[in-house]
mmCIF file of all heavy atoms in Angstrom:
data_model
loop_
_atom_site.group_PDB
_atom_site.id
_atom_site.type_symbol
_atom_site.label_atom_id
_atom_site.label_comp_id
_atom_site.label_asym_id
_atom_site.label_seq_id
_atom_site.Cartn_x
_atom_site.Cartn_y
_atom_site.Cartn_z
ATOM 1 N N ALA A 242 0.824 -1.208 0.000
ATOM 2 C CA ALA A 242 0.000 0.000 0.000
ATOM 3 C C ALA A 242 0.857 1.256 0.000
ATOM 4 O O ALA A 242 1.823 1.369 0.758
ATOM 5 C CB ALA A 242 -0.929 0.003 1.218
ATOM 6 N N LEU A 243 0.475 2.193 -0.859
ATOM 7 C CA LEU A 243 1.131 3.498 -0.956
ATOM 8 C C LEU A 243 0.098 4.574 -0.678
ATOM 9 O O LEU A 243 -0.972 4.597 -1.304
ATOM 10 C CB LEU A 243 1.727 3.668 -2.356
ATOM 11 C CG LEU A 243 2.427 4.971 -2.739
ATOM 12 C CD1 LEU A 243 3.387 4.719 -3.905
ATOM 13 C CD2 LEU A 243 1.458 6.085 -3.118
ATOM 14 N N GLY A 244 0.411 5.466 0.239
ATOM 15 C CA GLY A 244 -0.439 6.614 0.519
ATOM 16 C C GLY A 244 0.284 7.895 0.160
ATOM 17 O O GLY A 244 1.497 8.022 0.396
ATOM 18 N N LEU A 245 -0.446 8.849 -0.401
ATOM 19 C CA LEU A 245 0.188 10.094 -0.836
ATOM 20 C C LEU A 245 0.823 10.854 0.314
ATOM 21 O O LEU A 245 1.816 11.567 0.126
ATOM 22 C CB LEU A 245 -0.851 10.981 -1.533
ATOM 23 C CG LEU A 245 -1.530 10.399 -2.771
ATOM 24 C CD1 LEU A 245 -2.520 11.410 -3.342
ATOM 25 C CD2 LEU A 245 -0.526 9.984 -3.832
ATOM 26 N N THR A 246 0.255 10.709 1.514
ATOM 27 C CA THR A 246 0.798 11.418 2.683
ATOM 28 C C THR A 246 1.291 10.460 3.758
ATOM 29 O O THR A 246 1.531 10.880 4.884
ATOM 30 C CB THR A 246 -0.263 12.361 3.279
ATOM 31 O OG1 THR A 246 -1.406 11.595 3.682
ATOM 32 C CG2 THR A 246 -0.691 13.417 2.275
ATOM 33 N N ALA A 247 1.431 9.193 3.435
ATOM 34 C CA ALA A 247 1.908 8.212 4.416
ATOM 35 C C ALA A 247 3.398 8.400 4.689
ATOM 36 O O ALA A 247 4.136 8.937 3.861
ATOM 37 C CB ALA A 247 1.642 6.798 3.916
ATOM 38 N N ASP A 248 3.838 7.926 5.853
ATOM 39 C CA ASP A 248 5.250 8.042 6.226
ATOM 40 C C ASP A 248 6.130 7.077 5.436
ATOM 41 O O ASP A 248 7.337 7.303 5.315
ATOM 42 C CB ASP A 248 5.435 7.763 7.722
ATOM 43 C CG ASP A 248 4.785 8.827 8.598
ATOM 44 O OD1 ASP A 248 4.634 9.967 8.122
ATOM 45 O OD2 ASP A 248 4.423 8.495 9.739
ATOM 46 N N ALA A 249 5.516 6.004 4.924
ATOM 47 C CA ALA A 249 6.303 4.980 4.232
ATOM 48 C C ALA A 249 5.396 4.171 3.316
ATOM 49 O O ALA A 249 4.171 4.165 3.473
ATOM 50 C CB ALA A 249 6.986 4.054 5.233
ATOM 51 N N ILE A 250 6.005 3.485 2.374
ATOM 52 C CA ILE A 250 5.316 2.467 1.587
ATOM 53 C C ILE A 250 5.508 1.151 2.332
ATOM 54 O O ILE A 250 6.629 0.791 2.702
ATOM 55 C CB ILE A 250 5.884 2.390 0.167
ATOM 56 C CG1 ILE A 250 5.678 3.725 -0.551
ATOM 57 C CG2 ILE A 250 5.219 1.262 -0.619
ATOM 58 C CD1 ILE A 250 6.409 3.821 -1.873
ATOM 59 N N THR A 251 4.405 0.431 2.549
ATOM 60 C CA THR A 251 4.413 -0.718 3.445
ATOM 61 C C THR A 251 3.802 -1.927 2.756
ATOM 62 O O THR A 251 2.839 -1.795 2.003
ATOM 63 C CB THR A 251 3.612 -0.401 4.718
ATOM 64 O OG1 THR A 251 4.167 0.771 5.335
ATOM 65 C CG2 THR A 251 3.655 -1.549 5.709
ATOM 66 N N TRP A 252 4.395 -3.111 3.026
ATOM 67 C CA TRP A 252 3.717 -4.328 2.578
ATOM 68 C C TRP A 252 3.251 -5.125 3.790
ATOM 69 O O TRP A 252 3.869 -5.093 4.862
ATOM 70 C CB TRP A 252 4.597 -5.160 1.648
ATOM 71 C CG TRP A 252 5.780 -5.895 2.191
ATOM 72 C CD1 TRP A 252 7.030 -5.407 2.393
ATOM 73 C CD2 TRP A 252 5.850 -7.293 2.540
ATOM 74 N NE1 TRP A 252 7.873 -6.390 2.856
ATOM 75 C CE2 TRP A 252 7.169 -7.562 2.952
ATOM 76 C CE3 TRP A 252 4.920 -8.334 2.553
ATOM 77 C CZ2 TRP A 252 7.590 -8.835 3.366
ATOM 78 C CZ3 TRP A 252 5.331 -9.595 2.959
ATOM 79 C CH2 TRP A 252 6.643 -9.834 3.367
ATOM 80 N N TYR A 253 2.105 -5.796 3.607
ATOM 81 C CA TYR A 253 1.436 -6.521 4.690
ATOM 82 C C TYR A 253 1.444 -8.008 4.349
ATOM 83 O O TYR A 253 0.959 -8.433 3.309
ATOM 84 C CB TYR A 253 0.006 -6.003 4.855
ATOM 85 C CG TYR A 253 -0.009 -4.543 5.227
ATOM 86 C CD1 TYR A 253 0.004 -3.556 4.235
ATOM 87 C CD2 TYR A 253 -0.008 -4.133 6.553
ATOM 88 C CE1 TYR A 253 0.015 -2.217 4.571
ATOM 89 C CE2 TYR A 253 0.005 -2.797 6.896
ATOM 90 C CZ TYR A 253 0.018 -1.838 5.891
ATOM 91 O OH TYR A 253 0.039 -0.503 6.230
ATOM 92 N N GLU A 254 2.020 -8.779 5.288
ATOM 93 C CA GLU A 254 2.313 -10.194 5.037
ATOM 94 C C GLU A 254 1.087 -11.073 5.275
ATOM 95 O O GLU A 254 0.503 -11.076 6.354
ATOM 96 C CB GLU A 254 3.464 -10.640 5.940
ATOM 97 C CG GLU A 254 3.988 -12.025 5.641
ATOM 98 C CD GLU A 254 5.226 -12.358 6.450
ATOM 99 O OE1 GLU A 254 5.789 -11.439 7.103
ATOM 100 O OE2 GLU A 254 5.640 -13.532 6.436
ATOM 101 N N ASN A 255 0.715 -11.800 4.274
ATOM 102 C CA ASN A 255 -0.399 -12.749 4.314
ATOM 103 C C ASN A 255 0.036 -14.013 5.069
ATOM 104 O O ASN A 255 1.102 -14.564 4.778
ATOM 105 C CB ASN A 255 -0.764 -13.098 2.864
ATOM 106 C CG ASN A 255 -2.004 -13.940 2.713
ATOM 107 O OD1 ASN A 255 -2.570 -14.430 3.682
ATOM 108 N ND2 ASN A 255 -2.414 -14.135 1.482
ATOM 109 N N PRO A 256 -0.742 -14.526 6.054
ATOM 110 C CA PRO A 256 -2.106 -14.146 6.426
ATOM 111 C C PRO A 256 -2.208 -13.309 7.701
ATOM 112 O O PRO A 256 -3.314 -12.971 8.114
ATOM 113 C CB PRO A 256 -2.754 -15.503 6.650
ATOM 114 C CG PRO A 256 -1.661 -16.319 7.262
ATOM 115 C CD PRO A 256 -0.384 -15.853 6.599
ATOM 116 N N THR A 257 -1.085 -13.005 8.359
ATOM 117 C CA THR A 257 -1.155 -12.280 9.635
ATOM 118 C C THR A 257 -1.286 -10.777 9.441
ATOM 119 O O THR A 257 -1.618 -10.062 10.376
ATOM 120 C CB THR A 257 0.115 -12.548 10.460
ATOM 121 O OG1 THR A 257 1.265 -12.064 9.723
ATOM 122 C CG2 THR A 257 0.287 -14.039 10.737
ATOM 123 N N TRP A 258 -0.943 -10.305 8.236
ATOM 124 C CA TRP A 258 -0.944 -8.894 7.873
ATOM 125 C C TRP A 258 0.052 -8.088 8.693
ATOM 126 O O TRP A 258 -0.161 -6.919 9.008
ATOM 127 C CB TRP A 258 -2.349 -8.299 7.947
ATOM 128 C CG TRP A 258 -3.347 -9.124 7.199
ATOM 129 C CD1 TRP A 258 -4.495 -9.672 7.674
ATOM 130 C CD2 TRP A 258 -3.259 -9.533 5.811
ATOM 131 N NE1 TRP A 258 -5.129 -10.397 6.679
ATOM 132 C CE2 TRP A 258 -4.398 -10.331 5.537
ATOM 133 C CE3 TRP A 258 -2.338 -9.311 4.786
ATOM 134 C CZ2 TRP A 258 -4.626 -10.896 4.277
ATOM 135 C CZ3 TRP A 258 -2.564 -9.866 3.538
ATOM 136 C CH2 TRP A 258 -3.695 -10.648 3.292
ATOM 137 N N THR A 259 1.152 -8.739 9.033
ATOM 138 C CA THR A 259 2.261 -8.041 9.688
ATOM 139 C C THR A 259 2.834 -7.003 8.730
ATOM 140 O O THR A 259 3.150 -7.311 7.581
ATOM 141 C CB THR A 259 3.362 -9.037 10.075
ATOM 142 O OG1 THR A 259 2.811 -10.028 10.944
ATOM 143 C CG2 THR A 259 4.514 -8.327 10.763
ATOM 144 N N PRO A 260 2.981 -5.745 9.164
ATOM 145 C CA PRO A 260 3.500 -4.702 8.262
ATOM 146 C C PRO A 260 5.023 -4.717 8.172
ATOM 147 O O PRO A 260 5.713 -4.957 9.171
ATOM 148 C CB PRO A 260 2.994 -3.416 8.909
ATOM 149 C CG PRO A 260 2.898 -3.743 10.370
ATOM 150 C CD PRO A 260 2.521 -5.200 10.458
ATOM 151 N N HIS A 261 5.531 -4.443 6.985
ATOM 152 C CA HIS A 261 6.970 -4.315 6.755
ATOM 153 C C HIS A 261 7.208 -3.070 5.902
ATOM 154 O O HIS A 261 6.606 -2.914 4.841
ATOM 155 C CB HIS A 261 7.535 -5.540 6.030
ATOM 156 C CG HIS A 261 7.244 -6.841 6.711
ATOM 157 N ND1 HIS A 261 7.874 -7.236 7.877
ATOM 158 C CD2 HIS A 261 6.386 -7.842 6.380
ATOM 159 C CE1 HIS A 261 7.417 -8.439 8.235
ATOM 160 N NE2 HIS A 261 6.518 -8.822 7.337
ATOM 161 N N THR A 262 8.098 -2.212 6.339
ATOM 162 C CA THR A 262 8.409 -0.993 5.600
ATOM 163 C C THR A 262 9.276 -1.314 4.386
ATOM 164 O O THR A 262 10.300 -1.999 4.503
ATOM 165 C CB THR A 262 9.131 0.024 6.492
ATOM 166 O OG1 THR A 262 8.252 0.420 7.546
ATOM 167 C CG2 THR A 262 9.556 1.251 5.706
ATOM 168 N N ILE A 263 8.877 -0.814 3.234
ATOM 169 C CA ILE A 263 9.682 -0.956 2.017
ATOM 170 C C ILE A 263 10.632 0.227 1.887
ATOM 171 O O ILE A 263 11.843 0.058 1.765
ATOM 172 C CB ILE A 263 8.773 -1.060 0.778
ATOM 173 C CG1 ILE A 263 7.933 -2.337 0.857
ATOM 174 C CG2 ILE A 263 9.596 -1.032 -0.505
ATOM 175 C CD1 ILE A 263 6.917 -2.467 -0.254
ATOM 176 N N ILE A 264 10.064 1.444 1.909
ATOM 177 C CA ILE A 264 10.887 2.647 1.827
ATOM 178 C C ILE A 264 10.115 3.785 2.467
ATOM 179 O O ILE A 264 8.882 3.821 2.427
ATOM 180 C CB ILE A 264 11.247 2.979 0.353
ATOM 181 C CG1 ILE A 264 12.382 3.992 0.279
ATOM 182 C CG2 ILE A 264 10.019 3.437 -0.434
ATOM 183 C CD1 ILE A 264 12.993 4.123 -1.126
ATOM 184 N N THR A 265 10.803 4.701 3.096
ATOM 185 C CA THR A 265 10.145 5.819 3.765
ATOM 186 C C THR A 265 9.911 6.958 2.780
ATOM 187 O O THR A 265 10.570 7.062 1.735
ATOM 188 C CB THR A 265 10.978 6.344 4.935
ATOM 189 O OG1 THR A 265 12.185 6.930 4.428
ATOM 190 C CG2 THR A 265 11.320 5.213 5.911
ATOM 191 N N ALA A 266 8.982 7.829 3.152
ATOM 192 C CA ALA A 266 8.714 9.003 2.338
ATOM 193 C C ALA A 266 9.899 9.959 2.331
ATOM 194 O O ALA A 266 10.046 10.762 1.403
ATOM 195 C CB ALA A 266 7.466 9.715 2.845
ATOM 196 N N GLN A 267 10.744 9.862 3.336
ATOM 197 C CA GLN A 267 11.947 10.687 3.352
ATOM 198 C C GLN A 267 12.909 10.268 2.243
ATOM 199 O O GLN A 267 13.557 11.114 1.614
ATOM 200 C CB GLN A 267 12.640 10.572 4.716
ATOM 201 C CG GLN A 267 13.893 11.424 4.847
ATOM 202 C CD GLN A 267 14.506 11.343 6.229
ATOM 203 O OE1 GLN A 267 13.958 10.708 7.129
ATOM 204 N NE2 GLN A 267 15.648 11.983 6.412
ATOM 205 N N ASP A 268 12.981 8.967 1.976
ATOM 206 C CA ASP A 268 13.889 8.469 0.940
ATOM 207 C C ASP A 268 13.257 8.484 -0.449
ATOM 208 O O ASP A 268 13.977 8.436 -1.456
ATOM 209 C CB ASP A 268 14.330 7.038 1.283
ATOM 210 C CG ASP A 268 15.234 6.990 2.495
ATOM 211 O OD1 ASP A 268 15.994 7.956 2.701
ATOM 212 O OD2 ASP A 268 15.169 6.001 3.249
ATOM 213 N N ALA A 269 11.934 8.533 -0.513
ATOM 214 C CA ALA A 269 11.233 8.622 -1.795
ATOM 215 C C ALA A 269 10.079 9.615 -1.626
ATOM 216 O O ALA A 269 8.929 9.221 -1.444
ATOM 217 C CB ALA A 269 10.715 7.257 -2.226
ATOM 218 N N PRO A 270 10.365 10.913 -1.684
ATOM 219 C CA PRO A 270 9.345 11.932 -1.391
ATOM 220 C C PRO A 270 8.226 11.959 -2.429
ATOM 221 O O PRO A 270 8.426 11.678 -3.602
ATOM 222 C CB PRO A 270 10.147 13.246 -1.423
ATOM 223 C CG PRO A 270 11.579 12.845 -1.295
ATOM 224 C CD PRO A 270 11.675 11.501 -1.936
ATOM 225 N N LYS A 271 7.050 12.321 -1.953
ATOM 226 C CA LYS A 271 5.862 12.508 -2.795
ATOM 227 C C LYS A 271 5.614 11.328 -3.734
ATOM 228 O O LYS A 271 5.501 11.497 -4.940
ATOM 229 C CB LYS A 271 5.957 13.826 -3.541
ATOM 230 C CG LYS A 271 5.856 15.036 -2.623
ATOM 231 C CD LYS A 271 5.656 16.314 -3.391
ATOM 232 C CE LYS A 271 6.956 16.858 -3.908
ATOM 233 N NZ LYS A 271 6.801 18.187 -4.535
ATOM 234 N N PRO A 272 5.527 10.103 -3.176
ATOM 235 C CA PRO A 272 5.237 8.943 -4.023
ATOM 236 C C PRO A 272 3.802 8.986 -4.511
ATOM 237 O O PRO A 272 2.915 9.497 -3.833
ATOM 238 C CB PRO A 272 5.466 7.763 -3.080
ATOM 239 C CG PRO A 272 5.122 8.307 -1.726
ATOM 240 C CD PRO A 272 5.593 9.735 -1.747
ATOM 241 N N VAL A 273 3.551 8.407 -5.694
ATOM 242 C CA VAL A 273 2.198 8.443 -6.238
ATOM 243 C C VAL A 273 1.734 7.092 -6.761
ATOM 244 O O VAL A 273 0.560 6.760 -6.663
ATOM 245 C CB VAL A 273 2.073 9.528 -7.340
ATOM 246 C CG1 VAL A 273 2.960 9.195 -8.538
ATOM 247 C CG2 VAL A 273 0.632 9.697 -7.778
ATOM 248 N N TYR A 274 2.643 6.267 -7.320
ATOM 249 C CA TYR A 274 2.184 5.006 -7.909
ATOM 250 C C TYR A 274 3.328 4.008 -7.949
ATOM 251 O O TYR A 274 4.506 4.381 -7.934
ATOM 252 C CB TYR A 274 1.658 5.245 -9.328
ATOM 253 C CG TYR A 274 0.512 4.336 -9.689
ATOM 254 C CD1 TYR A 274 -0.772 4.588 -9.220
ATOM 255 C CD2 TYR A 274 0.700 3.207 -10.490
ATOM 256 C CE1 TYR A 274 -1.838 3.754 -9.534
ATOM 257 C CE2 TYR A 274 -0.351 2.378 -10.818
ATOM 258 C CZ TYR A 274 -1.614 2.647 -10.345
ATOM 259 O OH TYR A 274 -2.671 1.806 -10.651
ATOM 260 N N MET A 275 2.943 2.720 -8.037
ATOM 261 C CA MET A 275 3.948 1.660 -8.045
ATOM 262 C C MET A 275 3.380 0.429 -8.732
ATOM 263 O O MET A 275 2.177 0.286 -8.930
ATOM 264 C CB MET A 275 4.357 1.308 -6.610
ATOM 265 C CG MET A 275 3.214 0.788 -5.779
ATOM 266 S SD MET A 275 3.634 0.452 -4.056
ATOM 267 C CE MET A 275 2.005 0.109 -3.401
ATOM 268 N N ASP A 276 4.276 -0.485 -9.090
ATOM 269 C CA ASP A 276 3.903 -1.797 -9.603
ATOM 270 C C ASP A 276 5.026 -2.754 -9.236
ATOM 271 O O ASP A 276 6.112 -2.337 -8.813
ATOM 272 C CB ASP A 276 3.674 -1.748 -11.109
ATOM 273 C CG ASP A 276 2.814 -2.901 -11.612
ATOM 274 O OD1 ASP A 276 2.301 -3.684 -10.774
ATOM 275 O OD2 ASP A 276 2.656 -3.035 -12.834
ATOM 276 N N ALA A 277 4.771 -4.060 -9.401
ATOM 277 C CA ALA A 277 5.756 -5.059 -9.001
ATOM 278 C C ALA A 277 5.867 -6.151 -10.052
ATOM 279 O O ALA A 277 4.873 -6.556 -10.668
ATOM 280 C CB ALA A 277 5.359 -5.675 -7.660
ATOM 281 N N ALA A 278 7.099 -6.630 -10.259
ATOM 282 C CA ALA A 278 7.364 -7.773 -11.140
ATOM 283 C C ALA A 278 8.740 -8.316 -10.808
ATOM 284 O O ALA A 278 9.646 -7.562 -10.426
ATOM 285 C CB ALA A 278 7.298 -7.367 -12.611
ATOM 286 N N ASP A 279 8.914 -9.617 -10.953
ATOM 287 C CA ASP A 279 10.209 -10.252 -10.684
ATOM 288 C C ASP A 279 11.048 -10.169 -11.952
ATOM 289 O O ASP A 279 10.992 -11.035 -12.813
ATOM 290 C CB ASP A 279 9.995 -11.701 -10.257
ATOM 291 C CG ASP A 279 11.306 -12.389 -9.893
ATOM 292 O OD1 ASP A 279 12.346 -11.698 -9.806
ATOM 293 O OD2 ASP A 279 11.289 -13.626 -9.709
ATOM 294 N N ILE A 280 11.852 -9.123 -12.067
ATOM 295 C CA ILE A 280 12.616 -8.924 -13.287
ATOM 296 C C ILE A 280 14.002 -9.567 -13.236
ATOM 297 O O ILE A 280 14.645 -9.718 -14.275
ATOM 298 C CB ILE A 280 12.750 -7.424 -13.628
ATOM 299 C CG1 ILE A 280 13.406 -6.645 -12.491
ATOM 300 C CG2 ILE A 280 11.381 -6.843 -13.957
ATOM 301 C CD1 ILE A 280 13.585 -5.162 -12.804
ATOM 302 N N ASP A 281 14.461 -9.978 -12.045
ATOM 303 C CA ASP A 281 15.766 -10.628 -11.976
ATOM 304 C C ASP A 281 15.671 -12.128 -11.719
ATOM 305 O O ASP A 281 16.699 -12.818 -11.644
ATOM 306 C CB ASP A 281 16.656 -9.964 -10.920
ATOM 307 C CG ASP A 281 16.103 -10.084 -9.498
ATOM 308 O OD1 ASP A 281 15.067 -10.777 -9.307
ATOM 309 O OD2 ASP A 281 16.692 -9.485 -8.584
ATOM 310 N N GLY A 282 14.444 -12.654 -11.569
ATOM 311 C CA GLY A 282 14.253 -14.101 -11.480
ATOM 312 C C GLY A 282 14.618 -14.730 -10.158
ATOM 313 O O GLY A 282 14.767 -15.952 -10.078
ATOM 314 N N ASP A 283 14.682 -13.938 -9.072
ATOM 315 C CA ASP A 283 15.045 -14.516 -7.773
ATOM 316 C C ASP A 283 13.827 -14.949 -6.964
ATOM 317 O O ASP A 283 13.964 -15.380 -5.817
ATOM 318 C CB ASP A 283 15.907 -13.546 -6.974
ATOM 319 C CG ASP A 283 15.141 -12.306 -6.494
ATOM 320 O OD1 ASP A 283 13.988 -12.113 -6.945
ATOM 321 O OD2 ASP A 283 15.704 -11.535 -5.693
ATOM 322 N N GLY A 284 12.633 -14.831 -7.548
ATOM 323 C CA GLY A 284 11.422 -15.245 -6.855
ATOM 324 C C GLY A 284 10.772 -14.162 -6.021
ATOM 325 O O GLY A 284 9.670 -14.354 -5.501
ATOM 326 N N ILE A 285 11.429 -13.028 -5.870
ATOM 327 C CA ILE A 285 10.893 -11.889 -5.127
ATOM 328 C C ILE A 285 10.802 -10.717 -6.079
ATOM 329 O O ILE A 285 11.762 -10.404 -6.792
ATOM 330 C CB ILE A 285 11.771 -11.546 -3.910
ATOM 331 C CG1 ILE A 285 11.772 -12.721 -2.924
ATOM 332 C CG2 ILE A 285 11.276 -10.272 -3.219
ATOM 333 C CD1 ILE A 285 12.703 -12.546 -1.754
ATOM 334 N N PRO A 286 9.669 -10.048 -6.137
ATOM 335 C CA PRO A 286 9.501 -9.005 -7.148
ATOM 336 C C PRO A 286 10.332 -7.761 -6.859
ATOM 337 O O PRO A 286 10.675 -7.474 -5.713
ATOM 338 C CB PRO A 286 8.009 -8.680 -7.074
ATOM 339 C CG PRO A 286 7.629 -9.024 -5.666
ATOM 340 C CD PRO A 286 8.455 -10.235 -5.316
ATOM 341 N N GLU A 287 10.662 -7.048 -7.921
ATOM 342 C CA GLU A 287 11.155 -5.688 -7.805
ATOM 343 C C GLU A 287 9.934 -4.754 -7.856
ATOM 344 O O GLU A 287 8.876 -5.138 -8.361
ATOM 345 C CB GLU A 287 12.114 -5.340 -8.945
ATOM 346 C CG GLU A 287 13.522 -5.900 -8.774
ATOM 347 C CD GLU A 287 13.557 -7.428 -8.824
ATOM 348 O OE1 GLU A 287 13.044 -8.008 -9.810
ATOM 349 O OE2 GLU A 287 14.074 -8.037 -7.872
#
C-alpha cells in the first residue's frame, strides 16, 4: 500500500498482515504510484 501522505510504503504479510516498511517518504518523497514484477528471477519481485 502506498499513501500520498503516508510516512512509508508498506507491505502486509499474508495471512497475519504483519506490516513491513519498504521505503520511507523521506527516501522517496511525494510517491504516487507503483507496480511489481520479478525482473531478476530470484522469486521476489522488484
Side-chain angles (χ1 to χ4, degrees):
L243 178 158
L245 300 180
T246 60
D248 293 334
I250 298 170
T251 303
W252 71 275
Y253 298 88
E254 188 173 350
N255 187 352
T257 61
W258 309 124
T259 302
H261 305 287
T262 296
I263 296 175
I264 195 167
T265 67
Q267 181 177 356
D268 291 328
K271 292 192 278 186
V273 64
Y274 214 78
M275 62 183 172
D276 201 6
D279 183 9
I280 58 179
D281 63 5
D283 69 350
I285 297 175
E287 282 66 54

